[in-house]
Amino acid sequence: MDFNQIFRNRTKNFSLSIIKLLSPLPYSDAVSVIRKQIIRSATSVAANYRAVSRARSDKERFAKICIVVEEIDETQLWLEIIEELEYVDSEKLLAIKSECEELVKVMTTYKFKLSQNI
């Protein structure tokens, strides 16, 4: 499997993990807003990474990876918020936070490498 396919799968699985984690949360105004935001940013990571792998030029690829980096960083923020608000048990967040951190590092490095080509 090549790099693009691996990360297409990882970003999609990351999104699915967040959706599954947040689905059991009770519905209240505050929880619903946070749930909506984190699911939106996590799924945006997956959708935009797919667009990176289908880009028609280096400039387009770079523009899309910039969006991916912004969205994964936003997702990381929302994970910190739900942890600090104690909406989800910290133990349940460990694996997702770890994957998020890895994705931030990989996507930021990829963004930097792409910036060297344009």
Side-chain angles (χ1 to χ4, degrees):
M1 204 179 303
D2 70 358
F3 177 86
N4 280 327
Q5 190 59 46
I6 290 168
F7 280 91
R8 284 171 61 125
N9 291 340
R10 278 183 74 174
T11 56
K12 181 177 75 173
N13 290 335
F14 177 71
S15 297
L16 291 170
S17 295
I18 286 179
I19 293 167
K20 289 176 185 176
L21 175 74
L22 299 179
S23 291
L25 291 180
Y27 283 87
S28 70
D29 289 341
V31 175
S32 294
V33 168
I34 292 170
R35 178 190 291 117
K36 180 180 177 181
Q37 289 298 318
I38 192 170
I39 289 173
R40 187 208 50 78
S41 63
T43 55
S44 181
V45 170
N48 281 291
Y49 188 78
R50 289 176 73 99
V52 167
S53 63
R54 301 237 186 263
R56 296 166 293 210
S57 69
D58 288 341
K59 286 183 180 183
E60 184 179 359
R61 185 171 289 108
F62 181 72
K64 294 295 182 183
I65 198 67
C66 287
I67 295 168
V68 171
V69 171
E70 288 176 24
E71 294 294 337
I72 194 68
D73 184 61
E74 181 180 335
T75 303
Q76 193 171 39
L77 168 69
W78 289 117
L79 287 170
E80 292 167 9
I81 288 172
I82 63 170
E83 181 176 38
E84 290 176 25
L85 290 172
E86 298 177 349
Y87 286 164
V88 177
D89 181 49
S90 293
E91 287 289 315
K92 292 180 179 179
L93 283 173
L94 282 176
I96 289 176
K97 283 178 57 184
S98 176
E99 177 67 356
C100 189
E101 182 64 31
E102 284 185 39
L103 289 171
V104 166
K105 289 177 183 176
V106 169
M107 297 305 163
T108 303
T109 301
Y110 188 31
K111 176 184 168 185
F112 176 76
K113 287 182 180 181
L114 287 175
S115 73
Q116 304 301 301
N117 296 333
I118 55 173

